[in-house]
Amino acid sequence: MNYRKWIVGLLVFVLCLSVGLPGVRAAAVPITIELDGELLSSDVPPYITASNVTLVPVAVVSRGLGATVDWNQSSKTATISKGNTVLKLTSGSTTALVDGAFISLETSVQSRQGRVMVPLRFVGEQLGLQVAWNKAANNIALYSNTEIISPVTPSVPATPATPAVPTPTVPTPTVPKPTVPEIPSIPGAKTGKAMKGAWISTVFNLDWPSTSSANNADKQKKEFNTMLDKLQATGYNAVFVQVRPSGDSLYPSVLVPWSKVLTGTQGKNPGYDPLEYMVSSTHERGMEFHAWFNPFRATTDASTSSLASNHVAKAHPEWIVKAENKLYINPGIPEARQHIIDTVMEVVKGYDIDGVHLDDYFYPSGSFADDTAFNTYNAKAISSKEDWRRDNINEFIRQLGQEIHSAKSDVSYGVSPFGVWRNKKADSTGSDTTAGVSAYDNMYADTRTWIKNGWIDYIAPQIYWSLSFSAARYDKLVDWWVNEVKGTGVKLYIGQAAYKVGASDQKAEWQSGEQIINQLKYNEQYDEVAGSIMFRANDIVVRDPFGLSSLLTFYFKS
């Protein structure tokens, strides 16, 4: 089902229901909503409870992510089902039943005027929806689980030239000091890990370049240098820069068009080679430059009207599948996989990069129309479509690694998958988690196979949860991944959620930079943890919540 319609439907449903709910307060300034960077219109804003929990209509769950929703009026219970995950939320109950296990809730499901409202963050975490609430801008940003966008850069329309409306003073509730498990000092543990990396997002002009620098090469160069200087001063020694964000490029390519983030228009030459400049500037500072690719994402929305004529969605429409309101390159078509490999190799052969980095844009976690490909490109006669999909991704990972290392043996090659391979309930060898989606079952990314066969040099799971998040605890997942790489020669970097620190929609444990520091301290006990990569650069050195960059500087240099 369509992801955007799912979100819009759920939001509109909850918005209507919210009026008059007990214990719910309306924001003085209307709350705006956006999905994957695009503003969504709504005549009624979402509501936030007195305990700072955002409630949204449960109808959203029935769209976009392919979930089904059932409301039992007699028991006042909402049942949300997606794949093997089943959530039951009952009005008046502060616990939810998730796959047979009880999980506590800050606010129960509520109903009003025939509408059912559920806690947005809870449902999102369970089903893979990422939610970013920016209190200062009164903005809720919604994203798929595969790419998280910082809550400080919402797409808010330009303010019209009208008299300012004073905002009533609303008492700010006292935020309790985060309760974070004490991490004991470990004798002989290292505080300086080899990899100290930061992701630099270019999609939607998030980290670099700024939208105001469009068509201005000098400004873009200055912005990149400033970001590098700040990261280096903090203690970072590597950057992972998104060079192919949406089937386009930040370098001159014979295969894909110029990215619109450089000029505002896809296919327009910015007048210089941004990748060459970035690699050179990074190396001048003694830092590593890793080229980050979104493998199978073709676009960030479903429209093709503004795409360049040589964009893959126009050049090869037979390779394209629409899913979750994005266009994907079908992993089941061998020629399509080879096209992506060719675009990566164009960078490997043409630039002095230190590494090739893939994020988790493989198959989307929702429905994907690939029956024709399954019937046409199944030379191995694999009976299960799920196993066939995993085999497609396996072949892609293996072949790409072979080509990279054949061309340049010293180029590092790794992947940053969703942080949960499989839950223990689905596989006894999986992690002790109850995540709503998993890399193996929903993105068809069998990371275990890649590690055991040595197809990659490192794995960097996105463990974007706290040390106290019961459904997917940071420490339990680090333990699990350490065991996965042990004795394999594959390095383990941990992907950490700097974007959550200080975010208004996060719980108390994220209202301090110590959450990240305690996670780094936890990593110290394992030789297998060779460092970390943090998402994302602006959240560390620009937004810098609670002095996070200073805390990191002290940690890295101690």
Side-chain angles (χ1 to χ4, degrees):
M1 305 216 14
N2 185 282
Y3 179 71
R4 187 174 302 279
K5 289 182 179 179
W6 180 87
I7 298 297
V8 174
L10 176 54
L11 288 172
V12 171
F13 189 52
V14 74
L15 305 181
C16 297
L17 170 61
S18 301
V19 179
L21 279 174
V24 175
R25 54 180 175 84
V29 179
I31 297 174
T32 56
I33 312 161
E34 62 179 8
L35 173 62
D36 287 341
E38 182 177 335
L39 192 69
L40 302 178
S41 61
S42 176
D43 55 347
V44 183
Y47 283 85
I48 303 171
T49 69
S51 57
N52 285 325
V53 176
T54 305
L55 294 176
V56 297
V58 73
V60 174
V61 180
S62 65
R63 302 180 177 89
L65 292 185
T68 59
V69 175
D70 177 69
W71 172 251
N72 187 312
Q73 182 61 32
S74 61
S75 64
K76 297 190 182 304
T77 298
T79 301
I80 304 170
S81 305
K82 181 175 183 293
N84 296 323
T85 300
V86 179
L87 287 67
K88 290 182 179 292
L89 300 90
T90 302
S91 178
S93 174
T94 56
T95 60
L97 192 63
V98 180
D99 293 336
F102 286 99
I103 297 178
S104 62
L105 294 170
E106 288 188 336
T107 298
S108 72
V109 62
Q110 300 181 20
S111 63
R112 178 75 173 183
Q113 298 177 357
R115 303 292 195 270
V116 178
M117 295 171 62
V118 294
L120 177 58
R121 176 156 296 282
F122 176 83
V123 174
E125 293 276 7
Q126 299 301 323
L127 297 182
L129 176 66
Q130 298 289 345
V131 184
W133 162 238
N134 182 354
K135 183 178 181 181
N138 268 37
N139 174 268
I140 293 177
L142 306 167
Y143 304 98
S144 65
N145 65 288
T146 52
E147 182 162 308
I148 305 170
I149 297 175
S150 171
V152 299
T153 54
S155 299
V156 179
T159 304
T162 54
V165 179
T167 303
T169 301
V170 179
T172 302
T174 301
V175 178
K177 186 177 181 180
T179 301
V180 182
E182 176 109 11
I183 305 302
S185 176
I186 302 167
K190 297 176 292 184
T191 58
K193 288 294 186 179
M195 171 58 69
K196 305 178 187 71
W199 277 292
I200 296 180
S201 295
T202 60
V203 68
F204 303 121
N205 299 93
L206 289 174
D207 291 322
W208 182 87
S210 69
T211 53
S212 64
S213 72
N215 294 303
N216 189 332
D218 289 339
K219 186 174 182 180
Q220 290 177 359
K221 292 176 181 179
K222 183 178 180 180
E223 287 177 351
F224 189 75
N225 287 338
T226 298
M227 177 167 288
L228 280 185
D229 288 340
K230 289 181 177 180
L231 288 170
Q232 185 179 41
T234 300
Y236 286 91
N237 59 19
V239 290
F240 294 72
V241 182
Q242 196 173 28
V243 301
R244 181 182 171 273
S246 301
D248 49 19
S249 66
L250 276 75
Y251 52 90
S253 170
V254 298
L255 298 172
V256 297
W258 282 106
S259 176
K260 68 177 181 180
V261 304
L262 298 164
T263 63
T265 302
Q266 190 177 82
K268 184 177 180 181
N269 191 326
Y272 76 115
D273 186 339
L275 181 53
E276 181 181 38
Y277 183 82
M278 289 189 292
V279 171
S280 176
S281 295
T282 304
H283 287 169
E284 284 175 3
R285 291 163 174 78
M287 302 172 72
E288 293 182 6
F289 185 97
H290 296 254
W292 163 18
F293 296 83
N294 299 103
F296 291 94
R297 183 177 70 188
T299 64
T300 55
D301 57 39
S303 173
T304 60
S305 60
S306 62
L307 298 180
S309 59
N310 62 330
H311 187 277
V312 64
K314 286 190 172 180
H316 291 283
E318 72 278 10
W319 293 353
I320 302 300
V321 176
K322 179 181 176 182
E324 297 180 348
N325 205 50
K326 298 180 183 70
L327 299 182
Y328 282 79
I329 299 171
N330 192 339
I333 301 176
E335 294 86 352
R337 296 198 300 268
Q338 188 60 49
H339 166 76
I340 299 172
I341 291 173
D342 292 342
T343 63
V344 174
M345 293 309 299
E346 192 176 36
V347 171
V348 172
K349 295 175 180 179
Y351 296 87
D352 185 25
I353 60 172
D354 297 289
V356 168
H357 178 78
L358 306 181
D359 62 15
D360 56 350
Y361 264 95
F362 300 113
Y363 282 92
S365 59
S367 60
F368 193 77
D370 58 351
D371 285 349
T372 300
F374 177 52
N375 293 326
T376 306
Y377 304 101
N378 191 1
K380 298 179 183 178
I382 299 172
S383 59
S384 161
K385 184 192 284 189
E386 289 75 17
D387 288 339
W388 172 77
R389 287 176 175 175
R390 279 184 282 271
D391 186 67
N392 293 331
I393 302 302
N394 286 347
E395 284 298 297
F396 171 75
I397 294 295
R398 182 186 62 80
Q399 291 172 10
L400 177 56
Q402 284 183 344
E403 293 206 25
I404 290 171
H405 291 137
S406 293
K408 291 184 178 180
S409 60
D410 59 341
V411 170
S412 178
Y413 170 49
V415 185
S416 179
F418 184 69
V420 176
W421 174 71
R422 297 194 88 184
N423 293 311
K424 183 179 288 187
K425 181 177 180 180
D427 187 313
S428 61
T429 66
S431 54
D432 185 14
T433 53
T434 57
V437 296
S438 70
Y440 182 94
D441 296 294
N442 300 95
M443 292 84 170
Y444 303 96
D446 186 5
T447 56
R448 172 172 286 174
T449 294
W450 312 343
I451 292 169
K452 288 188 178 302
N453 286 287
W455 293 341
I456 53 178
D457 298 313
Y458 70 86
I459 194 84
Q462 299 170 28
I463 308 183
Y464 289 165
W465 302 284
S466 72
L467 284 155
S468 54
F469 181 61
S470 60
R473 265 176 44 184
Y474 179 90
D475 53 342
K476 288 186 176 183
L477 282 165
V478 169
D479 296 348
W480 188 88
W481 284 101
V482 163
N483 190 60
E484 282 295 288
V485 303
K486 189 171 295 184
T488 65
V490 174
K491 292 182 179 179
L492 173 62
Y493 304 142
I494 305 298
Q496 292 177 273
Y499 78 97
K500 284 189 175 182
V501 178
S504 299
D505 64 334
Q506 295 297 325
K507 294 182 179 180
E509 66 263 32
W510 288 105
Q511 302 308 317
S512 166
E514 290 299 326
Q515 176 66 222
I516 291 292
I517 301 302
N518 281 338
Q519 291 181 0
L520 287 168
K521 290 179 179 178
Y522 188 84
N523 297 348
E524 290 178 7
Q525 65 186 297
Y526 292 116
D527 288 335
E528 288 81 4
V529 178
S532 67
I533 313 171
M534 295 194 191
F535 192 87
R536 55 187 178 79
N538 263 353
D539 291 293
I540 300 164
V541 297
V542 177
R543 187 168 65 92
D544 190 20
F546 303 110
L548 177 60
S549 63
S550 295
L551 290 171
L552 288 167
T553 300
F554 180 80
Y555 175 81
F556 287 147
K557 297 182 178 180
S558 62

PDB file of all heavy atoms in Angstrom, residues 331-347:
ATOM      1  N   PRO A 331      15.699  -4.928  -7.436  1.00  0.00           N
ATOM      2  CA  PRO A 331      16.887  -5.774  -7.212  1.00  0.00           C
ATOM      3  C   PRO A 331      16.806  -7.123  -7.903  1.00  0.00           C
ATOM      4  O   PRO A 331      17.816  -7.819  -8.009  1.00  0.00           O
ATOM      5  CB  PRO A 331      16.907  -5.945  -5.682  1.00  0.00           C
ATOM      6  CG  PRO A 331      16.059  -4.835  -5.143  1.00  0.00           C
ATOM      7  CD  PRO A 331      15.002  -4.631  -6.179  1.00  0.00           C
ATOM      8  N   GLY A 332      15.616  -7.514  -8.355  1.00  0.00           N
ATOM      9  CA  GLY A 332      15.443  -8.825  -8.969  1.00  0.00           C
ATOM     10  C   GLY A 332      15.870  -8.891 -10.424  1.00  0.00           C
ATOM     11  O   GLY A 332      15.886  -9.968 -11.020  1.00  0.00           O
ATOM     12  N   ILE A 333      16.221  -7.742 -11.012  1.00  0.00           N
ATOM     13  CA  ILE A 333      16.624  -7.708 -12.420  1.00  0.00           C
ATOM     14  C   ILE A 333      18.143  -7.603 -12.500  1.00  0.00           C
ATOM     15  O   ILE A 333      18.718  -6.600 -12.074  1.00  0.00           O
ATOM     16  CB  ILE A 333      15.957  -6.520 -13.143  1.00  0.00           C
ATOM     17  CG1 ILE A 333      14.423  -6.648 -13.048  1.00  0.00           C
ATOM     18  CG2 ILE A 333      16.405  -6.451 -14.591  1.00  0.00           C
ATOM     19  CD1 ILE A 333      13.671  -5.479 -13.651  1.00  0.00           C
ATOM     20  N   PRO A 334      18.825  -8.619 -13.013  1.00  0.00           N
ATOM     21  CA  PRO A 334      20.299  -8.622 -13.034  1.00  0.00           C
ATOM     22  C   PRO A 334      20.909  -7.386 -13.689  1.00  0.00           C
ATOM     23  O   PRO A 334      21.896  -6.832 -13.208  1.00  0.00           O
ATOM     24  CB  PRO A 334      20.639  -9.900 -13.810  1.00  0.00           C
ATOM     25  CG  PRO A 334      19.452 -10.795 -13.586  1.00  0.00           C
ATOM     26  CD  PRO A 334      18.261  -9.872 -13.552  1.00  0.00           C
ATOM     27  N   GLU A 335      20.319  -6.921 -14.810  1.00  0.00           N
ATOM     28  CA  GLU A 335      20.858  -5.745 -15.494  1.00  0.00           C
ATOM     29  C   GLU A 335      20.743  -4.503 -14.637  1.00  0.00           C
ATOM     30  O   GLU A 335      21.612  -3.617 -14.684  1.00  0.00           O
ATOM     31  CB  GLU A 335      20.134  -5.525 -16.830  1.00  0.00           C
ATOM     32  CG  GLU A 335      20.375  -6.612 -17.856  1.00  0.00           C
ATOM     33  CD  GLU A 335      19.416  -7.785 -17.690  1.00  0.00           C
ATOM     34  OE1 GLU A 335      18.673  -7.827 -16.684  1.00  0.00           O
ATOM     35  OE2 GLU A 335      19.430  -8.683 -18.559  1.00  0.00           O
ATOM     36  N   ALA A 336      19.681  -4.430 -13.850  1.00  0.00           N
ATOM     37  CA  ALA A 336      19.494  -3.279 -12.971  1.00  0.00           C
ATOM     38  C   ALA A 336      20.536  -3.284 -11.854  1.00  0.00           C
ATOM     39  O   ALA A 336      21.094  -2.248 -11.494  1.00  0.00           O
ATOM     40  CB  ALA A 336      18.082  -3.302 -12.387  1.00  0.00           C
ATOM     41  N   ARG A 337      20.799  -4.470 -11.293  1.00  0.00           N
ATOM     42  CA  ARG A 337      21.841  -4.573 -10.261  1.00  0.00           C
ATOM     43  C   ARG A 337      23.196  -4.175 -10.832  1.00  0.00           C
ATOM     44  O   ARG A 337      23.975  -3.466 -10.182  1.00  0.00           O
ATOM     45  CB  ARG A 337      21.906  -6.004  -9.703  1.00  0.00           C
ATOM     46  CG  ARG A 337      20.664  -6.459  -8.968  1.00  0.00           C
ATOM     47  CD  ARG A 337      20.953  -7.666  -8.096  1.00  0.00           C
ATOM     48  NE  ARG A 337      21.440  -8.824  -8.828  1.00  0.00           N
ATOM     49  CZ  ARG A 337      20.677  -9.798  -9.313  1.00  0.00           C
ATOM     50  NH1 ARG A 337      19.355  -9.744  -9.148  1.00  0.00           N
ATOM     51  NH2 ARG A 337      21.207 -10.840  -9.944  1.00  0.00           N
ATOM     52  N   GLN A 338      23.470  -4.607 -12.055  1.00  0.00           N
ATOM     53  CA  GLN A 338      24.760  -4.287 -12.660  1.00  0.00           C
ATOM     54  C   GLN A 338      24.889  -2.797 -12.927  1.00  0.00           C
ATOM     55  O   GLN A 338      25.984  -2.228 -12.812  1.00  0.00           O
ATOM     56  CB  GLN A 338      24.939  -5.062 -13.969  1.00  0.00           C
ATOM     57  CG  GLN A 338      26.334  -4.925 -14.570  1.00  0.00           C
ATOM     58  CD  GLN A 338      27.436  -5.426 -13.637  1.00  0.00           C
ATOM     59  OE1 GLN A 338      27.345  -6.527 -13.092  1.00  0.00           O
ATOM     60  NE2 GLN A 338      28.466  -4.606 -13.428  1.00  0.00           N
ATOM     61  N   HIS A 339      23.785  -2.152 -13.251  1.00  0.00           N
ATOM     62  CA  HIS A 339      23.804  -0.693 -13.450  1.00  0.00           C
ATOM     63  C   HIS A 339      24.275   0.017 -12.181  1.00  0.00           C
ATOM     64  O   HIS A 339      25.106   0.933 -12.245  1.00  0.00           O
ATOM     65  CB  HIS A 339      22.408  -0.202 -13.825  1.00  0.00           C
ATOM     66  CG  HIS A 339      22.235   1.288 -13.715  1.00  0.00           C
ATOM     67  ND1 HIS A 339      22.738   2.173 -14.647  1.00  0.00           N
ATOM     68  CD2 HIS A 339      21.628   2.053 -12.758  1.00  0.00           C
ATOM     69  CE1 HIS A 339      22.446   3.414 -14.279  1.00  0.00           C
ATOM     70  NE2 HIS A 339      21.776   3.363 -13.140  1.00  0.00           N
ATOM     71  N   ILE A 340      23.767  -0.420 -11.030  1.00  0.00           N
ATOM     72  CA  ILE A 340      24.169   0.195  -9.761  1.00  0.00           C
ATOM     73  C   ILE A 340      25.650  -0.082  -9.492  1.00  0.00           C
ATOM     74  O   ILE A 340      26.397   0.811  -9.069  1.00  0.00           O
ATOM     75  CB  ILE A 340      23.292  -0.314  -8.611  1.00  0.00           C
ATOM     76  CG1 ILE A 340      21.830   0.051  -8.857  1.00  0.00           C
ATOM     77  CG2 ILE A 340      23.769   0.270  -7.278  1.00  0.00           C
ATOM     78  CD1 ILE A 340      20.858  -0.575  -7.875  1.00  0.00           C
ATOM     79  N   ILE A 341      26.072  -1.314  -9.737  1.00  0.00           N
ATOM     80  CA  ILE A 341      27.488  -1.654  -9.560  1.00  0.00           C
ATOM     81  C   ILE A 341      28.353  -0.772 -10.452  1.00  0.00           C
ATOM     82  O   ILE A 341      29.404  -0.272 -10.024  1.00  0.00           O
ATOM     83  CB  ILE A 341      27.719  -3.146  -9.867  1.00  0.00           C
ATOM     84  CG1 ILE A 341      27.049  -4.014  -8.783  1.00  0.00           C
ATOM     85  CG2 ILE A 341      29.216  -3.462  -9.955  1.00  0.00           C
ATOM     86  CD1 ILE A 341      27.076  -5.502  -9.076  1.00  0.00           C
ATOM     87  N   ASP A 342      27.917  -0.554 -11.692  1.00  0.00           N
ATOM     88  CA  ASP A 342      28.682   0.283 -12.614  1.00  0.00           C
ATOM     89  C   ASP A 342      28.806   1.721 -12.112  1.00  0.00           C
ATOM     90  O   ASP A 342      29.859   2.350 -12.266  1.00  0.00           O
ATOM     91  CB  ASP A 342      28.043   0.268 -14.003  1.00  0.00           C
ATOM     92  CG  ASP A 342      28.157  -1.083 -14.699  1.00  0.00           C
ATOM     93  OD1 ASP A 342      29.012  -1.893 -14.277  1.00  0.00           O
ATOM     94  OD2 ASP A 342      27.393  -1.327 -15.651  1.00  0.00           O
ATOM     95  N   THR A 343      27.734   2.242 -11.511  1.00  0.00           N
ATOM     96  CA  THR A 343      27.800   3.619 -10.997  1.00  0.00           C
ATOM     97  C   THR A 343      28.771   3.709  -9.822  1.00  0.00           C
ATOM     98  O   THR A 343      29.488   4.702  -9.676  1.00  0.00           O
ATOM     99  CB  THR A 343      26.414   4.128 -10.559  1.00  0.00           C
ATOM    100  OG1 THR A 343      25.915   3.335  -9.467  1.00  0.00           O
ATOM    101  CG2 THR A 343      25.416   4.072 -11.704  1.00  0.00           C
ATOM    102  N   VAL A 344      28.799   2.673  -9.000  1.00  0.00           N
ATOM    103  CA  VAL A 344      29.744   2.663  -7.875  1.00  0.00           C
ATOM    104  C   VAL A 344      31.173   2.576  -8.402  1.00  0.00           C
ATOM    105  O   VAL A 344      32.072   3.299  -7.950  1.00  0.00           O
ATOM    106  CB  VAL A 344      29.453   1.493  -6.922  1.00  0.00           C
ATOM    107  CG1 VAL A 344      30.528   1.408  -5.836  1.00  0.00           C
ATOM    108  CG2 VAL A 344      28.077   1.651  -6.276  1.00  0.00           C
ATOM    109  N   MET A 345      31.390   1.704  -9.376  1.00  0.00           N
ATOM    110  CA  MET A 345      32.739   1.502  -9.902  1.00  0.00           C
ATOM    111  C   MET A 345      33.250   2.734 -10.638  1.00  0.00           C
ATOM    112  O   MET A 345      34.468   2.950 -10.717  1.00  0.00           O
ATOM    113  CB  MET A 345      32.774   0.281 -10.819  1.00  0.00           C
ATOM    114  CG  MET A 345      32.541  -1.036 -10.096  1.00  0.00           C
ATOM    115  SD  MET A 345      33.630  -1.246  -8.643  1.00  0.00           S
ATOM    116  CE  MET A 345      35.236  -1.205  -9.439  1.00  0.00           C
ATOM    117  N   GLU A 346      32.357   3.528 -11.157  1.00  0.00           N
ATOM    118  CA  GLU A 346      32.749   4.791 -11.784  1.00  0.00           C
ATOM    119  C   GLU A 346      33.470   5.677 -10.771  1.00  0.00           C
ATOM    120  O   GLU A 346      34.460   6.343 -11.096  1.00  0.00           O
ATOM    121  CB  GLU A 346      31.497   5.492 -12.313  1.00  0.00           C
ATOM    122  CG  GLU A 346      31.748   6.663 -13.232  1.00  0.00           C
ATOM    123  CD  GLU A 346      30.459   7.236 -13.781  1.00  0.00           C
ATOM    124  OE1 GLU A 346      29.447   7.257 -13.045  1.00  0.00           O
ATOM    125  OE2 GLU A 346      30.463   7.690 -14.940  1.00  0.00           O
ATOM    126  N   VAL A 347      33.003   5.646  -9.524  1.00  0.00           N
ATOM    127  CA  VAL A 347      33.625   6.430  -8.455  1.00  0.00           C
ATOM    128  C   VAL A 347      34.901   5.756  -7.964  1.00  0.00           C
ATOM    129  O   VAL A 347      35.925   6.417  -7.746  1.00  0.00           O
ATOM    130  CB  VAL A 347      32.630   6.625  -7.292  1.00  0.00           C
ATOM    131  CG1 VAL A 347      33.319   7.255  -6.084  1.00  0.00           C
ATOM    132  CG2 VAL A 347      31.455   7.500  -7.741  1.00  0.00           C
TER     133      VAL A 347
END
